[in-house]
Amino acid sequence: MIKTTFKLILAFIIVASFAACSTSSSPNLPPTPKGENPPSVNIGTVGNSNSRGAVEQFLAAIRTEDLQAISLIWGTEKGPARDNMPHPEMEKREIVMICYLNHTGYRLMGETTVANNRRVVEVELTKGTLIRTTTMHVVQGPKSKWFVEKMDLASLRDFCSQ
């Protein structure tokens, strides 16, 4: 009984946080530096052929608040989250990620190769007047596809309150 009540309260908090974080931003891709075309990102495909493309695809899915697209690019070395995580848990986590990572623009700052087919991509996110830098850990999964595995949300706390 207590566990069920706790789960219901937690679910309510997550949904309430998502409602508070929702914005009316347009679902267009983030702006790119002057004179460049926006990246071609197909947010409906499983994984990406490279690590930077995976981050761009992930951020485009976050920007459009597309839970299905997020579940195709967020994952582990086993593949996309949609194939490896219970659906209710996955959706709750996606809603939290949207709250923290929703942005009006971004810049990929750099990339570092780490062990076990993983890379860390440093990303500068903009939301209104706020500019924050975070890291996204990307991993190579099945069929040489890259997935965003995890990210540093602590550095983006104030994004969720905007």
Side-chain angles (χ1 to χ4, degrees), residues 48-61:
N48 198 285
S49 59
N50 64 71
S51 55
R52 292 174 72 92
V55 171
E56 289 178 335
Q57 184 177 335
F58 178 76
L59 290 172

Side-chain angles (χ1 to χ4, degrees), residues 24-39:
S24 60
S25 65
S26 104
N28 297 330
L29 290 174
T32 57
K34 290 182 183 176
E36 293 183 23
N37 294 320

Side-chain angles (χ1 to χ4, degrees), residues 30-73:
T32 57
K34 290 182 183 176
E36 293 183 23
N37 294 320
S40 175
V41 178
N42 185 351
I43 61 175
T45 60
V46 176
N48 198 285
S49 59
N50 64 71
S51 55
R52 292 174 72 92
V55 171
E56 289 178 335
Q57 184 177 335
F58 178 76
L59 290 172
I62 291 288
R63 181 91 181 259
T64 60
E65 299 181 5
D66 186 337
L67 298 180
Q68 288 185 2
I70 294 169
S71 74
L72 294 173
I73 192 61

Side-chain angles (χ1 to χ4, degrees), residues 68-114:
Q68 288 185 2
I70 294 169
S71 74
L72 294 173
I73 192 61
W74 172 49
T76 67
E77 69 277 351
K78 294 178 183 176
R82 71 150 191 208
D83 297 342
N84 296 294
M85 182 179 290
H87 191 73
E89 177 186 347
M90 179 186 71
E91 282 188 343
K92 289 174 191 173
R93 289 181 182 205
E94 289 173 327
I95 289 168
V96 170
M97 286 188 291
I98 288 171
C99 184
Y100 281 91
L101 294 164
N102 203 351
H103 58 281
T104 55
Y106 71 87
R107 264 187 336 147
L108 300 183
M109 305 296 288
E111 180 174 352
T112 306
T113 301
V114 292

Side-chain angles (χ1 to χ4, degrees), residues 102-140:
N102 203 351
H103 58 281
T104 55
Y106 71 87
R107 264 187 336 147
L108 300 183
M109 305 296 288
E111 180 174 352
T112 306
T113 301
V114 292
N116 301 324
N117 291 325
R118 285 175 164 74
R119 296 191 180 154
V120 177
V121 179
E122 186 176 19
V123 182
E124 180 183 85
L125 293 173
T126 304
K127 185 172 186 181
T129 59
L130 297 175
I131 299 173
R132 300 290 179 265
T133 302
T134 190
T135 55
M136 296 195 180
H137 298 252
V138 188
V139 63
Q140 194 171 31

